[in-house]
Amino acid sequence: MSDMEEKFPRALWIRLIIYIAVGHIVAGFIYLLFEVGAKG
């Protein structure tokens, strides 16, 4: 069944991974701001 692989091109997977990575970086940055703000 290689039909499913053709429906999801490589560019879509790369874009999805980039979105997830950027989302985690932004979430971690916001978490860091809250941690520093709570201590200060």
Side-chain angles (χ1 to χ4, degrees), residues 7-22:
K7 287 182 181 180
F8 287 100
R10 191 184 300 267
L12 189 75
W13 285 112
I14 293 173
R15 192 178 306 168
L16 193 69
I17 291 170
I18 289 174
Y19 281 149
I20 292 171
V22 170

Side-chain angles (χ1 to χ4, degrees):
M1 291 291 178
S2 62
D3 290 336
M4 286 298 293
E5 292 182 2
E6 291 180 1
K7 287 182 181 180
F8 287 100
R10 191 184 300 267
L12 189 75
W13 285 112
I14 293 173
R15 192 178 306 168
L16 193 69
I17 291 170
I18 289 174
Y19 281 149
I20 292 171
V22 170
H24 276 82
I25 290 170
V26 170
F29 183 69
I30 292 172
Y31 173 76
L32 197 69
L33 284 178
F34 273 112
E35 281 293 315
V36 171
K39 289 179 181 178

